[in-house]
Amino acid sequence: MTSESEDACELESFTAAANWITALVSTVGDDRWAAPGLGGWDVRGLVGHTSRAFSTLVAALDHPAGEVDLSSPEDYFRAVLSQPGVDDVVRERGFASGEALGERPAEAFAALCDSALTTVSTLSPADADAAIMTVAGGMRAGDYVRTRTFELVVHGIDIAKALGAEPDVPEAALRESLAIAAGLAMQSGKGSSVLAGLTGRGGLAEDFTVLG
């Protein structure tokens, strides 16, 4: 069980990240949606994938779980990334979500954001500690909110880069995402490499990742 201050921090970080990325998406011009985004993703597909941070949160909060199977955001990402064929599934769902944004994708994205923020705003401290069902298993609602913040921040940076914009991530959301990334580095045995890279003691390879 967490304290009320920790619960509030989780929700505030998510809210800050949600508002930031929605403002960023609103700057995508009509001629940019088909432009390169990240790897094989175009901007629309990348934004569509990112929008799932909102829709999956709303859906999960409506599905209680009997117990907590995943005790942290790091455990959640490890469980998801270990699923067979996960890359293909993520890609397919992302592009489908991008198409589902329709003719006014930025407005549709903003509507999904509003829905998620409205849902999150009703959570009490007890709600944040309750177990909900996610695609990887049961976990504490507040911890799942943290995974959504991480998704918004990481892909918000991707979108900003694709648009040639500076990723001015809100401090609280960035700090929380960095903490999750550090936790993933520790779980994957890459903690020393990350620390060395961050302190100028050896650069990280271009394809280095703590995800998988």
Side-chain angles (χ1 to χ4, degrees), residues 4 15 34 36 55 75 89 103 172 191 207:
E4 289 191 21
T15 298
S55 58
D75 288 344
V89 171
E103 296 182 359
D207 61 350

Side-chain angles (χ1 to χ4, degrees), residues 17 19-25 27 32 152-170 174:
N19 286 327
W20 165 69
I21 195 169
T22 300
L24 177 64
V25 169
T27 68
R32 295 292 296 163
L152 292 176
V153 169
V154 170
H155 295 305
I157 292 172
D158 293 335
I159 293 168
K161 183 177 180 180
L163 299 177
E166 185 67 26
D168 190 17
V169 184
L174 181 58

